[in-house]
Structure formats: structure tokens, C-alpha cells
Amino acid sequence: MPISAMSFTYMWSEWLWPVALMVMGLAAVVFFHELGHFIAAKAVGIKVERFALGFGPRLFGGKWGETDFCVNLVPLGGYVKMLGQEDVKDVEEHYEDPRAFPNKSVGARMIVIAAGVVMNVIFAAVLFVIVGMVGIDMQAPVAGRAVPGMPADTAKITWTAPRDLPGGAPQPDAAGIKAGDRIVSINGKDITTYRQLMLRGAFADPKDVFTFVIERQFQGRAWRGTLQMSTAQGKTAGSNMRMFGIAAAPSLEVVIPRFTSVETPFHDGDILEAIAGQPIHHGWELDNRCQSLDGKPAGVTVKRPVEKNGRQTLVPQPLTIQPRLETGPDVLFKKDGQIVRAWLLWSEKEKSPNGSEVTKYVVTMSDGSRGELSESEMLPLASMGPLDVLGMMPRSQVGWVSEVSPAADAGLRPGDTIVRVGDVSTPTFAEFQDALRAAGNHAIALTVERNGKNIDVTAEPEMQKDQAVLGFGRAVEVSTTIVSGVRENSPVDKKSKGKVLKGAVLVSVNQTPVQTWFDVRSALNALAGKEVTLTFRDGDKEIPVALGVLDESMYLPQDLHVDLLGPGVGQRVLTFEIRKPPLEALAWGVGESRDFIKEAYVSLLALFQRKFGLGDMTGPVGIGRLAIQVGRESPLQFVYFMAMISCFLAVMNFLPIPVVDGGHAVLLIVEKFRGKPLPARVVNTIQMVGLFLLIGVFLVITFSDIMRIFK
């Protein structure tokens, strides 16, 4: 099958080039580490037999002077082989050549051993300096929101009024971190990036209490606030970490993932400026502004990047956006039909008394308390569609399509309404998933509605993580009130006694005609606490369903959430640019190297203190995966990442563990105090124990890395 231009472009930018960057970047880090050993060895007169990148069988290379420079098959590091130095072979007692490693003084050998780590630190600092001069975007230490029920949501703030503020002026809300709050310092230490904020929480002890200084804009002035905050157990990226519960702030810049087709007037990089004629100043304002929209097409103004005369400028661009409706992010459903208004923090597996594995949902309830919900009582989150109104589920739509996917090959487009999948007509999202699961990787027939016409297509799902996927995102059709299904035990299901069938159309709410789900929302919002009757049309038959009094056990206006961006469209996180002149970049680069080295040591200390386990660490597979992800973003971000890896490699290599540089340094210190080296058999035993220890740790971390990929 010929490779299309799109497939090749996708493979190049998403895999081939990032993988090539990863290989070159990691090779550079290893090369400079070994170069440090090589230069130091030559400087003190030690014979270097081999300079190798990688381990295992030799691929290619050449001899220069007395040293064999080569590249080996397994690209997981490298080594400098000096005469008389053995890491995994038996150490001999004597070497006649005065240039042998054991025949040099302890000081000379210590210089050689430490030179690799020193070179890694120098290499990292140089990379950081280059990045600082070129300029790089860093995530700002600004709150997008406080996670409900977490410490940031419940902390009390003491405000210091601006000096020029007259007495008696109102103060900002003192209850918890709010969107837009900038974190100035923690325990007196300046916080300049969001990463620093997250790390302070991740490495905290449960009993630690931190003093925060924050800044909030209130009535045109900058207020400073002080608060005491602890951390809470959380989960992020598959790891158990402590956290403050401060979510990152979104910017006003629109992001559309690469190689994704979406049905939207937005362009990647558009900057939101106004909604319905009202200016929008911050990314976190968007969500609240959207909730006032009534479902009619909304006017939106963006600033769009445009190339003019070789320079990029921002040009105002008016757009018309159709808002979308979805179930609120804090709405869950029990199997008995009960609605639970709770913010899902995370889900996790645990063993039941009979030994089986069950899922529990850790949530923050609407009153702010922490709670747990059992899998046995909840509807599976993965089976719920994007919109549920009193149990009525609209027809499913294609929200976005990956341009290299079975969905794209089948001709599916964003906005297609799914009319049939296999033998199931008007499928709910759960029914669509069930049909895909039954099909596996075999072709499945689909019928979609596009521009008022039905189109038949055949798609061949791909198996990913034991699931059949087509490569498109889900959405719902809000422009009609056709019902694809009714949630079991929901208000409509209980009151209609199964009379509302697939394909029925909701035509009125208490005599008020409705044509869209936004119309339904408006009608229900006006009927809180009143008797409600829904009328459906199924063919020529009208079906009235009396729900009784519409109370909060059935519906609250905030149960439905308005989205303006649409499926597949998001917002970039809030960043600021670091760009410095050479001398300031030098100081910044040295500071970044220092901070990452300190961070690595703090991480290891946290590991020994059991704040997290080996499963939370990242090994070669995880580092490679991260390197590929960063390589997809930009070359500059990749350089920054490699500088960080160089710092971590320096720390890991100088740990007092046999086989690595730090273990050799310990043996040299022992030799200095003894006045002679340890016996060869003792050194050999120590090295073999260290080797098996490293292999064991490597296997555990690698297994965890692989399991994260399949989660």
C-alpha cells in the first residue's frame, strides 16, 4: 500500500524526526560525559584503550592514536575503558604499565572519575545559557483554578492592602486560591515557574505546612495575600504525588492538535479578544463567559497571526461560533439513576474482600468534603456520552478526526452524525463503543448523516491497548432534539416506563416548543420547582411524560455546561518568555543547572523517605518517551530537556553505588584512608552486587515505564 503524503508527513514530524532528535540528544549527553573522563585521563597520563558510545557488539569506529573510538549496538550509555580499570570483570592485583589506572595516585584517579559528572554539569549549563539567550517559553506560576476540596481550595488568605488604597475599601475574597492568582513565593523562596510550584508540593511531607505569598488583581490594584497551606495526596500522570491542588492557568491562545481535522472557524494560534462584543482579558475567564450564551451563534473576535512582509503580525478577525452543550464536569450518575454532583479527582484500582480488583472514584462532593464512590454503584465513566439531559441522550457526532487514522481512511468528517453502526440504529455512545469492541480489528459498517444526506462508509478499527479505535473524538448533535437513548433509572426512564424509544423527538417542554437542546435547557431553567411535562413524537404518535416537580434531585441549571471552543479545540497554558542578554543568560543557565541537580537529589531523598516508590521514577523507556514528546514541540524545548537530562545523569552517576562513578569514588576514599586499595576479591564482589542491584532497579523502573504507556 503506497504511503500518502499526509502519512509520510505525520511519520516524519511525529516519529522519525523526534526519534532522531532523541538519539542525537542522548548520544550528545553521553558523549560529553565520557569526554570528561577521556580528557581527564589523558591529562593525568592514563592510557585510554577505548572510547565507546553504547554497549554490546561493536558496530563501527576507528582507532586514533592508542584509543579505539567506536559506536556499539545497544544505545543505553557509553564508557571510557582505561588500562587497568574494570567495572564488571574481575579486578587484577597488579599492572606493570605506569599508565594503568590503578597505578596513578588517588587524587589523579578521583579527578578522572569526577570529570564525567563535571562535564555533564558544564554541558547542561552551556545548553541552558544558549536557551536563555535565544528565548524560551516557561509555564507561568499562575492558578487556573483551585481543585475542589484540595488545600488550595480551602486555605484562608490574609490580605495586605495596597499603600494608596483608602481605608474601608472592600477586600478580595479570602476563601482559597482563585483563577488568576500569581504565586509569588513559598516559604520565602521566589517562585518563577509553575514547575517549581508543583515540585514543592510533590516532595512535601504530609505534616509540612507552607507559607504562600500570592498576588491578585482586584478592582484595578495588585493585592498581596499570605496563606498557610499543606498538601494532599493526589494522582498525576499515573503517579502518587502530594500536591497543593493548583491547576495550571490557560492562556487566550487557541490550540488545535497537529494532524487533527476539526469543524471550527478557529485557527491554531488564534488569540481570543472578545465574546459577544465583550472583551476577554484572561484565559480563565472563558468558561464563565460561555455559561451565559443561549445557544445562538455567538460573535467572537480573535487576533490571528498572519505573515506580512516576512514578519508575523496579529490581525483582528471576526468569527461566528456555534456554542455546544455538554454535561457539567462535576456531574456523575449512579446506576440507580441518582445524580451525584461531585468533582472527580481520580479513579484507582483496589482489592475487594474476595480478592477481585475493583475501581473506586475519589471525589470532592458539592459541600467540599472528600468522598469515595464504588464502581459497583456508579455508571462507568467511559460509557457516558458528552450530554445527558434528565436521562435523554442526543445523537452522537464525530467531533474531530485524526488525519492519519481508520476514521480518516473511511472518509469520516467532523460534524458527521452517526445514524447507524453495524446493526444498531441511532446508537448511544455506549452502544457505539460496544459495537466497536465486538468488531475488534474487523471492518464495521457505519451510516452517517452529512448535510441532510445519509452516507454509508466502512471503517477498519485499529487495536490499541486492547481496545478497537477509529481515531475520532466524540461529540453530540445539539441542533435537533432526537433522542438516541434514555439512561436506565433516569427521571425520563422512570416516568415514561420505557415508552420513549430510539429516534423519538422531544417536541415541547410544558407546551413550550423546543427544537434544539439549548431550547430544552432554557425551558428547564425557567421551570425549577414546578411541574414539568415533556412531549415526544415518535412517528405519528405523541408521548407525554409527566416528570412531576423539577427539583435538584433531577436537574440544576449548572448540570449543563456550555462550551465555545468545540471538540478538539483547546487553550494553551499561560507562559512567559525568558530571554536574556549573555551575562544574565550565563547566571540563569548556572542557576537552572544548580536547581535541577538539587531537584534530582531531593527526588532521591523523597524516594528513600517513601514519599513515592520506584514505580513513580522514570527510566530509559520513560525518558525516551518524554524526549520524543518534547521533540515534537520545538528544537529549543528539546535542548532544554537534554540539559535537564544531563544534570540528572550527573547526579545518578555520582551516587555511591558500585559500578557507577560514585561507587568508584567511594572505593578511592576508602583506599585513601586505608593507605592501600581493598583486596581485588572484595572489589569484585562489591562490583557484582552493585551490578545486580542496578539491573534490578532498571527492570523495575522499565516495567513501570512500559505499564504507563499502556494505561
Side-chain angles (χ1 to χ4, degrees):
M1 182 177 178
I3 299 176
S4 67
M6 175 58 70
S7 297
F8 177 78
T9 302
Y10 173 83
M11 287 298 297
W12 172 257
S13 63
E14 294 294 292
W15 291 106
L16 298 179
W17 174 240
V19 169
L21 271 180
M22 176 195 70
V23 172
M24 291 187 292
L26 294 178
V29 171
V30 172
F31 172 79
F32 279 98
H33 177 88
E34 301 304 334
L35 183 63
H37 291 313
F38 178 81
I39 292 173
K42 286 293 188 179
V44 300
I46 296 175
K47 180 180 178 179
V48 179
E49 297 178 328
R50 174 171 289 184
F51 186 117
L53 293 180
F55 296 100
R58 189 176 192 273
L59 292 180
F60 59 88
K63 199 161 187 179
W64 183 26
E66 60 186 9
T67 304
D68 175 32
F69 293 86
C70 64
V71 174
N72 296 331
L73 179 63
V74 183
L76 293 177
Y79 62 92
V80 166
K81 172 64 176 68
M82 293 172 280
L83 178 64
Q85 184 198 31
E86 302 289 352
D87 286 340
V88 295
K89 295 182 181 179
D90 286 348
V91 176
E92 300 177 12
E93 293 283 2
H94 303 289
Y95 291 88
E96 295 182 0
D97 192 328
R99 294 189 302 160
F101 180 80
N103 293 334
K104 295 298 179 181
S105 69
V106 171
R109 282 179 283 162
M110 185 65 81
I111 290 172
V112 175
I113 292 299
V117 169
V118 172
M119 184 63 82
N120 272 134
V121 175
I122 293 173
F123 179 57
V126 169
L127 293 183
F128 282 132
V129 170
I130 293 171
V131 167
M133 289 192 296
V134 175
I136 188 171
D137 287 338
M138 304 290 284
Q139 195 168 346
V142 177
R145 60 176 172 82
V147 178
M150 296 294 276
D153 184 47
T154 57
K156 301 301 180 185
I157 305 170
T158 300
W159 292 105
T160 300
R163 291 182 179 180
D164 61 343
L165 190 71
Q171 290 194 356
D173 186 357
I177 297 286
K178 299 291 187 281
D181 287 351
R182 177 177 290 274
I183 313 304
V184 177
S185 67
I186 299 178
N187 288 353
K189 181 177 175 58
D190 290 347
I191 298 296
T192 57
T193 66
Y194 185 78
R195 178 180 62 84
Q196 294 172 335
L197 168 66
M198 296 298 291
L199 289 175
R200 293 303 298 271
F203 298 135
D205 285 320
K207 63 179 180 298
D208 287 344
V209 177
F210 299 87
T211 299
F212 276 65
V213 175
I214 65 171
E215 184 175 277
R216 180 181 299 176
Q217 296 295 322
F218 180 70
Q219 295 188 347
R221 287 183 167 88
W223 286 68
R224 284 282 175 113
T226 303
L227 63 149
Q228 304 291 315
M229 194 190 308
S230 59
T231 57
Q233 191 69 34
K235 284 184 178 291
T236 176
S239 297
N240 297 308
M241 296 288 185
R242 300 198 69 81
M243 57 182 61
F244 298 114
I246 301 175
S251 70
L252 290 170
E253 185 177 358
V254 171
V255 57
I256 298 175
R258 294 184 301 170
F259 301 103
T260 301
S261 295
V262 297
E263 188 181 38
T264 179
F266 287 116
H267 288 189
D268 187 57
D270 282 352
I271 298 174
L272 296 166
E273 191 173 37
I275 299 174
Q278 298 297 313
I280 181 169
H281 301 101
H282 305 289
W284 50 86
E285 296 175 358
L286 177 63
D287 188 64
N288 286 337
R289 190 73 62 83
C290 288
Q291 304 321 304
S292 62
L293 300 176
D294 58 6
K296 297 183 177 65
V300 175
T301 303
V302 300
K303 290 181 179 178
R304 177 163 295 171
V306 176
E307 289 283 344
K308 284 189 176 182
N309 300 322
R311 298 182 62 183
Q312 192 176 79
T313 60
L314 295 175
V315 177
Q317 178 74 41
L319 305 175
T320 300
I321 308 294
Q322 174 60 58
R324 305 189 71 88
L325 197 61
E326 54 193 32
T327 302
D330 57 348
V331 174
L332 304 171
F333 299 105
K334 290 188 175 182
K335 292 178 180 177
D336 63 5
Q338 181 182 347
I339 188 170
V340 179
R341 297 179 180 91
W343 189 276
L344 176 64
L345 297 176
W346 65 79
S347 62
E348 58 186 27
K349 300 285 187 180
E350 63 177 12
K351 292 289 185 180
S352 66
N354 62 10
S356 62
E357 195 175 60
V358 297
T359 301
K360 71 173 181 181
Y361 303 108
V362 181
V363 299
T364 297
M365 307 301 290
S366 56
D367 61 1
S369 63
R370 178 74 63 88
E372 293 181 359
L373 302 171
S374 170
E375 176 185 31
S376 61
E377 62 180 332
M378 302 302 298
L379 284 178
L381 299 179
S383 70
M384 297 306 302
L387 180 60
D388 182 302
V389 184
L390 298 172
M392 299 175 287
M393 291 175 278
R395 295 199 293 180
S396 298
Q397 272 191 339
V398 176
W400 52 264
V401 177
S402 174
E403 293 181 350
V404 181
S405 67
D409 293 340
L412 292 178
R413 300 180 188 175
D416 287 349
T417 299
I418 300 172
V419 175
R420 179 179 293 273
V421 54
D423 296 329
V424 181
S425 63
T426 321
T428 64
F429 183 74
E431 290 170 338
F432 185 86
Q433 285 184 311
D434 290 341
L436 274 189
R437 194 176 297 112
N441 56 358
H442 300 291
I444 188 169
L446 298 170
T447 301
V448 299
E449 183 181 299
R450 184 185 303 159
N451 299 326
K453 297 181 180 179
N454 284 356
I455 300 172
D456 296 324
V457 300
T458 301
E460 297 183 7
E462 289 180 349
M463 296 303 296
Q464 295 181 7
K465 302 179 183 179
D466 297 326
Q467 293 184 345
V469 299
L470 290 179
F472 72 83
R474 61 181 183 175
V476 290
E477 180 192 51
V478 297
S479 58
T480 73
T481 53
I482 298 174
V483 178
S484 70
V486 176
R487 175 168 46 87
E488 189 176 1
N489 293 322
S490 65
V492 170
D493 181 52
K494 290 178 178 178
K495 298 299 183 179
S496 70
K497 299 179 180 179
K499 294 179 182 178
V500 179
L501 303 176
K502 278 181 174 296
V505 182
L506 178 62
V507 294
S508 67
V509 178
N510 278 21
Q511 310 302 319
T512 301
V514 291
Q515 296 181 327
T516 71
W517 290 105
F518 273 102
D519 293 341
V520 177
R521 170 180 176 255
S522 297
L524 292 176
N525 288 352
L527 293 172
K530 299 178 181 178
E531 298 275 346
V532 172
T533 298
L534 307 179
T535 302
F536 297 86
R537 185 175 65 245
D538 189 358
D540 296 330
K541 182 171 58 176
E542 285 202 347
I543 306 169
V545 177
L547 297 181
V549 176
L550 188 68
D551 58 23
E552 65 178 32
S553 68
M554 296 187 198
Y555 176 83
L556 287 177
Q558 55 265 37
D559 292 344
L560 301 182
H561 185 266
V562 182
D563 173 48
L564 188 67
L565 297 180
V569 183
Q571 295 167 263
R572 284 188 171 86
V573 296
L574 184 66
T575 61
F576 67 101
E577 186 184 51
I578 291 178
R579 186 194 298 267
K580 299 178 179 294
L583 288 179
E584 290 184 18
L586 178 62
W588 179 79
V590 171
E592 287 293 284
S593 301
R594 177 201 62 226
D595 289 347
F596 274 115
I597 290 171
K598 180 180 177 182
E599 179 184 319
Y601 278 114
V602 171
S603 299
L604 291 170
L605 179 62
L607 177 64
F608 287 113
Q609 292 174 338
R610 296 186 178 182
K611 293 178 183 177
F612 51 87
L614 282 177
D616 295 318
M617 303 289 283
T618 298
V621 173
I623 290 173
R625 185 184 180 197
L626 287 172
I628 290 172
Q629 292 173 349
V630 175
R632 291 168 179 165
E633 296 178 16
S634 75
L636 198 64
Q637 292 287 349
F638 183 80
V639 170
Y640 186 90
F641 181 76
M642 283 298 108
M644 178 187 72
I645 294 299
S646 190
C647 290
F648 288 160
L649 179 63
V651 171
M652 299 304 294
N653 254 289
F654 221 61
L655 292 177
I657 300 173
V659 180
V660 300
D661 294 340
H664 293 305
V666 171
L667 292 177
L668 289 175
I669 293 171
V670 171
E671 179 181 340
K672 183 69 174 178
F673 279 100
R674 291 183 79 237
K676 60 181 179 179
L678 290 170
R681 59 182 177 79
V682 175
V683 174
N684 292 331
T685 301
I686 291 173
Q687 288 177 335
M688 292 308 298
V689 170
L691 177 62
F692 283 116
L693 174 64
L694 284 179
I695 291 174
V697 171
F698 172 85
L699 291 176
V700 170
I701 295 176
T702 299
F703 177 77
S704 298
D705 285 340
I706 294 172
M707 292 305 296
R708 282 193 199 102
I709 295 174
F710 291 99
K711 279 187 177 180

